[in-house]
Amino acid sequence: QVQLVESGGGSVQAGGSLRLSCVASGYTYSSNCMGWFRRAAGKEREGVAAICSGIGTTAYADSVKGRFTVSQDNAKNTVYLQMNSLKPEDSAMYYCAARSGGSWLPLNPMLYNYWGQGTQVTVSS
């Protein structure tokens, strides 16, 4: 059974930083992608960042490029999302997700099979 558990959310002021963590169990992502997604109030879920171990690449939404960094620690089965220079528009529930195969369209949530429960990020101006 695959379980994804996020942590690290919270409330910060604009310009601040947070690091989200996602611990995976029951899942081997050595050749697959794991992604971070977010859903703001009244908006649809969007892909934020993804890391695909098999091909060693990362992908980012244009809105977070240069500010967010996704990384992984295979020994800890953990994926991270370092978020710097946070803006109020980054406020959302952030979800970690994993997919059972493939690396195409890494920011498309429809291609992910497993989801965490989410962690809230609130950025005040």
Side-chain angles (χ1 to χ4, degrees), residues 21-32:
S21 300
C22 173
V23 179
S25 60
Y27 176 75
T28 301
Y29 59 84
S30 60
S31 60
N32 294 299

Side-chain angles (χ1 to χ4, degrees), residues 14-64:
S17 298
L18 286 172
R19 188 177 79 157
L20 307 183
S21 300
C22 173
V23 179
S25 60
Y27 176 75
T28 301
Y29 59 84
S30 60
S31 60
N32 294 299
C33 296
M34 292 193 70
W36 287 97
F37 299 83
R38 66 187 181 188
R39 187 194 297 271
K43 296 186 178 180
E44 294 194 359
R45 182 175 51 184
E46 64 171 338
V48 176
I51 183 165
C52 299
S53 301
I55 58 176
T57 63
T58 56
Y60 296 94
D62 288 343
S63 59
V64 307

Side-chain angles (χ1 to χ4, degrees), residues 36-121:
W36 287 97
F37 299 83
R38 66 187 181 188
R39 187 194 297 271
K43 296 186 178 180
E44 294 194 359
R45 182 175 51 184
E46 64 171 338
V48 176
I51 183 165
C52 299
S53 301
I55 58 176
T57 63
T58 56
Y60 296 94
D62 288 343
S63 59
V64 307
K65 282 180 181 177
R67 301 187 298 121
F68 291 11
T69 302
V70 60
S71 62
Q72 64 187 47
D73 184 334
N74 290 340
K76 297 181 179 181
N77 284 352
T78 301
V79 175
Y80 303 97
L81 183 68
Q82 178 66 44
M83 305 186 295
N84 298 328
S85 302
L86 283 162
K87 304 175 181 180
E89 52 263 43
D90 293 318
S91 297
M93 184 71 80
Y94 282 71
Y95 299 90
C96 172
R99 56 197 279 179
S100 56
S103 56
W104 60 91
L105 301 177
L107 297 181
N108 187 334
M110 300 300 292
L111 299 177
Y112 284 75
N113 310 90
Y114 310 102
W115 292 84
Q117 82 287 351
T119 185
Q120 179 68 40
V121 171

